Structures are given as structure tokens and as C-alpha cells.
Amino acid sequence: SHFNIQPLVNVCNVLNLSEIVLFPLTSDPAVLNRTIAELQSQRCPSVKQINSAQAIADQVKYLQKAICKWSADIGKWKVNSKALRDWLLLSGYNVSTWWLSLLSEKNTLKTNAFFRIAQICAVRSFLSKGEYGFCVIAVSDRNFRKALKLVADELKIQKKVLSTGFLVRPEGTKTKIKAILQSFGLFGNFLQGFFTWLHFIQRGCKVRKHLSKRSERLPESDSLLFVSYFPAVDKEAAHNGVFRNKYALSLQEKLKEKHVPVVWLLMPVPFDGYDFSDAIRLANDFANNGENLFILEGFLSLRGAIKGLFLWFRQIGLSWYLFHHVNKTCLVAAPVGSEGMPIVKSLWEQSFCGSIGIGSILYCIIFKQVFKEIKHITNCLYYCEMHAWEKALNGAKNHTNPEIRTIGFQHASVSRNDLSYFYDKADTVQTGRPSDLPLPDVLACNGEYLYSLLSESGYPGLTQVESVRYLYMDKMLSSQVTPRTGRPVLLIAGAYDRNETRALVALVYAAFPKADQFDIWFKGHPSMPVEEIFEELAIDVSKTGYAICRDNISEYFGQAWAMLVSTSTVSIEALAFGCEVIIPVFPDTMLINALADCEKYYHKVTCAEDLRETMRKIMEGHSLCGIDEYRQFVKSYWNINPSLPLWSKLLEGDSQQ
């Protein structure tokens, strides 16, 4: 009910074709099945479907290896004998906005551009190997469509471009507005950026209105500044006015044990049902209960916002000049290719002329004010995920108060497809120049495996500490696993991304429209209820036999025989229970799973047939590894020691391994 394939059918009816080959760029089996059925009903010739998910996944692997050098080369490229990253130096803030751009950050959670590049490469590779006389392009993304047209032109293949893709999914107002603005190109990016600027001002005003004066909350003795997302808190403790950081409960206790005063700098994000107003209310409650805390946007004055606007206007003009003078061969070097220019151009405009551009500049202004205003800070600890705001923080610290030691704590899991975590070694070298990549003095990662992974980028100050988020697993890793008996269970862990959760549900429904041979349990992500997806896909759960789980997902690991999961750390947790992990690869979603490059420990599926076959094997007793081997991997991934000896040394000033 949410797609229209008639334009494709009409084109195929007009042409005299001997065969139709589908290269899907959607993961929805219903779309593909109906497409094939409709084509066949129109007496079209044989219709074949290519396993595009695997072809695109192969290109993503190539992208991993080449994209860091591509980014580094652009940053070093000289225009009029001056490197690009030097051109973009933000005067007075000790940071180049090159490092804050999507071109450098490569954050796959903020942009699908790099996955688009992998898709383009996969299509190009596929078309170049076949003898195709005609190509029909049906995608809704304008820049993606332009790129695929260039692929067909280069290979001298006749083409027909349909202005929209098959999917016509129901979308919210914000999503529709964003899509419309993006279709306006540079002007649309500018409008998004201006709205972002207004949003920062509005949030700052709201903070200052509802919280007491900052001067009343400033520390009077040496303290640790802890920058944290908020309100990621223990709800039960919060109800009693006690602030317990959900991601660092044990670390918070260790700081208290060592009598280290903590000043909290909070970054409100939508979390666990809380919005920005809830965050302010909670922060006010905690402040009234004696916590020294600040909300980030409260440091943005109207004067600072106006200065940020002028710096952004300057950057827009400068970026336009640089784009038209930088060597285009550099921009489309491997792995991008000349067909990727529409994608790169859009990425450039978003980075410097859109919401990313103005937001990054405002973060620089805010953090400079933070380090200027909050005295007596000896250490600054923050959750490290390689976002632009972190580089703004480090640049501001280096410029305003360089004697402070910054500690970036990589607190969760990392996939090689989390491209933002990886840089070319030429980028991480520290020369003392203002245009150097702003890195923390200490990059603390939470396990041996992750230490090895991040070492590939040559980060200075890299050290290992205990994984405070996963210390609860210590007891479980030494407990005995109860053999699974009775009816088998497939547990599906929903993703935070709506489209990804939709793809998971559609895949399961295509493979198992009814839970007749085994139980099928769905556990939605806290920010993405799975019930909404069932409704969107018109799936009547009461007729399928599916169960929807309400408790914490860890409560179900011991009962599940297998777990289907796309992007979630729970894939590693499940291994510790001896649960077989199944990870789907979709043709329209970048695989961001901590196990993605550890193929020994998970079953990979690319379609409904794969999932059916994998579950058949698991029900017959097949497993990839024994429980001891699974648990050894978990222990190498996360350093789980509740006494926190490495954290103790780090807090005392020793960051050596």
C-alpha cells in the first residue's frame, strides 16, 4: 500500500526486452515481491533479482580502507599554496572547521553519503560486468539519481530515469520539511542552518530562564569537569533528586571514593522519553540538591550567537571559493569516483553552509566560554564518539586553558563502519599548529579489542580502561549457562533507526509470516517502539503469533536460541549467554554493528531465504562457537573489572599502559 511500481511496468512494456534484472536498493521484501509479480503479470520476459545486499557490503569494505586517505588528502590539498584545513582555521578558537565537517568526520549516523558512494560503486561494478542495453533508474534521492545517471552515461548504457522511487512511506512533518529543503540545494542548506541557529538561541534562553545564575554554581576548588549526554540517568534515583549517570554509575562512585569533586556539563538529547524541557527540570532538581551542573546551551549569549552567525557567513563565502578552486580530481579520487561528485558537492554544502556548519561554529563559541568561565578545572572527561562538538571542546581547551587534561572516554562499542572513529595516521600527527586535528590528551578505550582497533589510526595518548557501562556482566560471565530446552525462540532486537527497524520487521515477516515452528519475540529499542512499525507495515500481530517483549532485553538472552540484530551492542552481550547472533545485511542501510568485522561470531543473512536456512540449522543444534569461546571474545572486547584499577591510575594522573 506504500509503493507504486507502475512507472517501471510502463517502461518495461514499451521496450523490447529479453530479460529484466533487478538490482534492489531497498530492503523491503514486499516491494520486491510485488515488483516481480507485477512485471510477470504484464507478460514481461524472465525477471531475475540480484543479491545486491552482498554486492554493496563488499563495496563498504573497500570504502573502509580507502575513505580515510581520501579525506586526509582533501584536507591537505593546497589552494594558492595554502592547505584547505588552514584556510578554514577559525580565528580565535584554535580549530579548523575542516575537522568539524562531515567530509572529515565521516559520521555515518549523520549522513548516508558514504553509504551512497558504496551503493554507486556496487551498481557501477554490476553494470560493467553485464551486457545490458538499457537501465531504468528509480530512486527518490536527487543527488543519488544524478550519480547513477553518470554511471550509465560513462558505461554508454541507454537509460530511463524515473523521478521518484517505489517507496512512498508515511513521514512526519519534520522529515518532509527537511526533504523539501534538501531539494533546494545550497539555499535549502542555508535555511536549515539558519533554523539551527535560531534553535540554539531558543534553547539557551530557556536554560537561563529556568536555572539559577551560573556564578552561583561555579566550583571553588580543583574539580573534574564531566561532559555527559543528559538525561541519561537512573530514573529511580532521579525521582528522589539524586543524579546517577546511567552510563557511568561505577565511575561516578569511584570519583566519589577518591574525593574528586565533579562539575557536570550536560548536553540534552532526546532520551528515554525525556525532551529538552524535562532535561531542564531534572537539572534544576539536581542543582537544588547540591550538584554542580550546567547545561551546555546556557553558555551561548546573544552576542556569541551573533558572532557565530557572522563567522558562518564568512565560512559560506570561503567554502564557495575553495570548492571552485580545489582540484576536482582530489574530490572524486578513490573510492568515490567521478560519478560521486553530486554526493560530494552536497556533503560539502551541508558541512560548511548548512546546519552542520553553523552548529560546529556555535560549539566552538560555547566551549570557549565554558573554559573561560569555569575555573579550577584540572581534568575534563567526556564521552568520546568522535563528534564535531568534541573537537570544538578540545580546540577551545587548548586555546583557553591548555593545562587542563582532557580525557575522551570511548564508552560503548565500535564498528569499522563507524567511519568517524578512524583517521589516516597523517591526520592524527600533532605538530603544535592550530590547524592540527583537536584530539583529547588521553583517549581511553574500554577494552583490549577496541584498543587494538583504534591503534590503527595512530592516536596519541591512547590507553585502556575498564568498561564501566558493562561491569554488570562480570557476574554473568562466570555463571553457568542453563541448557535451552522446550520450544526454540528467535529474539529480534529493534534498532534506534526507524528504517532499520522497519527492515528487520519486514525481513522476519517475509521469512516467517507465522510463528509456527518456533517462538518469535520482538523487543523494540527504547526510542523506536516496534508497534509503530507493525502498524506501518499493516501486520496484524495477533494473527502472526509474534510476541512483543516489554522488559529489559537482557532478561531474554538466556531463553533465546538466536537473536536477530542489526545495529546494537546487545549482539555482544547475547554471545555471553551462548545465544547465536544473526546479523542482516541490507542494500539500503550501512551495517553498523560491533560484530560486523568479527565474522567468526555471527551468522550473516542477506534475504528471507538466508534467515530461514540459518534458523533451521540453529534449531538442529548448529552453533558457530562454544560458550567458552564466545565469552572469551566478550572479555577481550570489554575490560570488565569492577574494582577499576586502570581508572584509578588514570584519575591519579597515570595514563600509561
Side-chain angles (χ1 to χ4, degrees):
S1 61
H2 296 315
F3 55 90
N4 175 23
I5 65 166
Q6 195 56 46
L8 175 60
V9 173
N10 293 342
V11 170
C12 294
N13 283 338
V14 171
L15 301 171
N16 183 21
L17 303 173
S18 59
E19 182 180 54
I20 296 175
V21 179
L22 297 178
F23 191 91
L25 296 173
T26 174
S27 59
D28 196 327
V31 172
L32 300 176
N33 292 339
R34 184 172 165 187
T35 300
I36 293 172
E38 287 284 347
L39 290 172
Q40 291 174 338
S41 71
Q42 298 290 327
R43 298 183 180 179
C44 290
S46 64
V47 181
K48 294 198 315 187
Q49 179 181 321
I50 298 299
N51 189 341
S52 57
Q54 185 58 55
I56 294 169
D58 292 340
Q59 292 297 330
V60 169
K61 282 192 174 182
Y62 172 57
L63 187 78
Q64 290 173 354
K65 299 175 182 177
I67 201 68
C68 291
K69 185 177 185 307
W70 170 83
S71 175
D73 287 346
I74 295 174
K76 292 184 294 183
W77 193 268
K78 292 188 176 181
V79 175
N80 295 338
S81 73
K82 188 176 179 180
L84 196 69
R85 62 192 192 188
D86 290 319
W87 274 103
L88 292 164
L89 189 65
L90 203 61
S91 179
Y93 295 92
N94 207 57
V95 64
S96 169
T97 54
W98 163 254
W99 302 117
L100 313 180
S101 71
L102 292 173
L103 291 151
S104 171
E105 187 180 323
K106 310 176 296 295
N107 195 319
T108 47
L109 297 179
K110 294 179 181 178
T111 176
N112 63 2
F114 298 101
F115 186 66
R116 289 289 192 226
I117 290 168
Q119 289 177 308
I120 293 165
C121 291
V123 171
R124 180 176 57 208
S125 176
F126 172 70
L127 288 177
S128 63
K129 293 177 182 176
E131 297 180 355
Y132 301 102
F134 204 90
C135 175
V136 178
I137 300 168
V139 296
S140 55
D141 184 285
R142 185 183 63 164
N143 291 315
F144 191 24
R145 197 161 59 237
K146 286 181 181 177
L148 293 177
K149 285 169 63 178
L150 291 173
V151 170
D153 290 341
E154 182 182 317
L155 297 175
K156 296 180 172 55
I157 297 175
Q158 293 185 64
K159 63 185 181 298
K160 173 67 176 178
V161 181
L162 305 182
S163 60
T164 60
F166 295 159
L167 297 184
V168 189
R169 294 178 185 164
E171 297 175 330
T173 303
K174 287 184 179 180
T175 304
K176 290 178 180 178
I177 292 174
K178 187 175 181 180
I180 291 170
L181 289 175
Q182 286 178 342
S183 69
F184 292 162
L186 179 60
F187 180 66
N189 277 302
F190 172 78
L191 287 178
Q192 288 186 71
F194 188 73
F195 292 147
T196 297
W197 179 74
L198 292 174
H199 187 60
F200 265 84
I201 293 175
Q202 182 262 335
R203 285 167 70 113
C205 291
K206 202 167 186 178
V207 171
R208 289 190 293 274
K209 178 180 178 181
H210 293 282
L211 291 185
S212 62
K213 291 182 179 180
R214 293 197 299 273
S215 58
E216 298 173 1
R217 289 172 274 136
L218 294 173
E220 297 179 356
S221 60
D222 288 351
S223 304
L224 178 143
L225 181 66
F226 200 139
V227 186
S228 175
Y229 297 115
F230 186 76
V233 296
D234 182 323
K235 284 190 172 184
E236 186 175 342
H239 183 70
N240 297 316
V242 179
F243 179 27
R244 300 189 72 214
N245 191 309
K246 193 171 183 177
Y247 290 155
L249 297 175
S250 299
L251 181 56
Q252 194 174 349
E253 290 299 317
K254 178 62 71 174
L255 290 166
K256 186 177 180 180
E257 175 191 315
K258 289 185 168 294
H259 305 289
V260 177
V262 177
V263 177
W264 296 95
L265 181 59
L266 307 175
M267 301 183 65
V269 294
F271 187 87
D272 234 3
Y274 292 116
D275 60 16
F276 189 72
S277 296
D278 294 327
I280 294 176
R281 177 183 53 78
L282 274 176
N284 191 50
D285 290 344
F286 295 143
N288 291 335
N289 208 31
E291 290 286 355
N292 275 349
L293 56 79
F294 302 89
I295 291 182
L296 190 67
E297 287 87 345
F299 287 90
L300 180 65
S301 64
L302 182 59
R303 181 180 178 181
I306 292 172
K307 184 174 184 179
L309 190 65
F310 279 104
L311 287 171
W312 182 48
F313 288 161
R314 175 185 176 274
Q315 179 172 275
I316 291 173
L318 183 58
S319 68
W320 184 89
Y321 170 81
L322 292 172
F323 184 81
H324 287 85
H325 286 81
V326 72
N327 191 309
K328 298 303 184 291
T329 304
C330 180
L331 293 177
V332 296
V336 174
S338 59
E339 302 89 351
M341 178 54 85
I343 306 293
V344 174
K345 185 174 184 292
S346 175
L347 204 58
W348 184 286
E349 291 174 354
Q350 291 176 57
S351 294
F352 302 115
C353 309
S355 57
I356 297 292
I358 182 62
S360 298
I361 290 173
L362 293 178
Y363 277 130
C364 291
I365 292 171
I366 289 170
F367 279 112
K368 182 176 180 179
Q369 186 64 27
V370 166
F371 289 110
K372 180 180 177 182
E373 192 170 324
I374 305 179
K375 308 296 183 183
H376 306 295
I377 298 300
T378 55
N379 291 286
C380 175
L381 173 64
Y382 67 88
Y383 293 128
C384 179
E385 296 177 348
M386 296 296 178
H387 291 303
W389 68 260
E390 301 169 34
K391 302 178 185 74
L393 180 155
N394 287 309
K397 186 277 297 188
N398 292 337
H399 182 70
T400 307
N401 209 340
E403 63 271 16
I404 294 175
R405 182 178 62 154
T406 48
I407 304 169
F409 175 35
Q410 180 275 307
H411 62 114
S413 59
V414 175
S415 163
R416 286 187 184 276
N417 290 344
D418 281 312
L419 302 176
S420 56
Y421 281 94
F422 302 98
Y423 282 86
D424 190 89
K425 286 186 176 180
D427 273 351
T428 59
V429 172
Q430 300 294 289
T431 65
R433 292 167 56 88
S435 58
D436 286 349
L437 172 61
L439 292 170
D441 299 306
V442 179
L443 177 51
C445 60
N446 62 5
E448 178 185 336
Y449 176 84
L450 294 163
Y451 178 84
S452 174
L453 195 64
L454 294 178
S455 294
E456 297 175 9
S457 293
Y459 289 118
L462 184 65
T463 191
Q464 187 184 153
V465 292
E466 292 81 17
S467 180
V468 294
R469 282 184 68 176
Y470 302 101
L471 294 180
Y472 69 89
M473 296 185 68
D474 179 60
K475 183 178 179 180
M476 180 273 298
L477 284 168
S478 58
S479 65
Q480 282 195 326
V481 175
T482 305
R484 288 167 173 79
T485 57
R487 187 172 164 88
V489 175
L490 170 63
L491 174 64
I492 296 93
Y496 62 85
D497 180 79
R498 185 181 194 87
N499 289 335
E500 212 166 310
T501 299
R502 191 181 193 279
L504 277 171
V505 173
L507 175 64
V508 173
Y509 186 68
F512 311 110
K514 286 191 176 180
D516 46 13
Q517 298 179 3
F518 52 88
D519 288 337
I520 298 177
W521 297 351
F522 284 87
K523 176 63 178 77
H525 190 275
S527 61
M528 182 63 257
V530 72
E531 293 90 338
E532 293 181 14
I533 304 301
F534 285 125
E535 184 178 346
E536 185 178 313
L537 293 174
I539 297 174
D540 187 344
V541 178
S542 64
K543 295 180 180 179
T544 61
Y546 301 160
I548 298 176
C549 304
R550 308 293 182 185
D551 296 327
N552 190 296
I553 193 168
S554 60
E555 299 294 324
Y556 305 103
F557 290 152
Q559 303 168 65
W561 290 40
M563 182 174 70
L564 178 69
V565 55
S566 53
T567 301
S568 178
T569 301
V570 297
S571 57
I572 300 177
E573 297 177 64
L575 291 179
F577 288 84
C579 181
E580 294 296 303
V581 174
I582 306 171
I583 298 179
V585 179
F586 298 121
D588 53 0
T589 307
M590 176 82 89
L591 176 60
I592 309 289
N593 191 296
L595 288 179
D597 291 283
C598 306
E599 297 186 358
K600 179 180 179 181
Y601 301 105
Y602 72 92
H603 306 262
K604 180 167 67 175
V605 297
T606 60
C607 58
E609 290 75 16
D610 284 353
L611 181 56
R612 282 193 288 266
E613 178 61 17
T614 299
M615 276 305 298
R616 183 190 65 78
K617 290 180 180 179
I618 292 172
M619 287 192 296
E620 290 176 355
H622 174 69
S623 63
L624 296 175
C625 301
I627 182 63
D628 291 337
E629 191 170 354
Y630 279 148
R631 288 186 167 183
Q632 189 56 45
F633 172 75
V634 174
K635 290 177 181 178
S636 70
Y637 196 93
W638 289 316
N639 187 322
I640 301 173
N641 186 339
S643 62
L644 305 183
L646 295 177
W647 268 112
S648 295
K649 289 182 180 180
L650 180 58
L651 294 172
E652 291 165 3
D654 182 4
S655 58
Q656 300 299 314
Q657 287 292 301

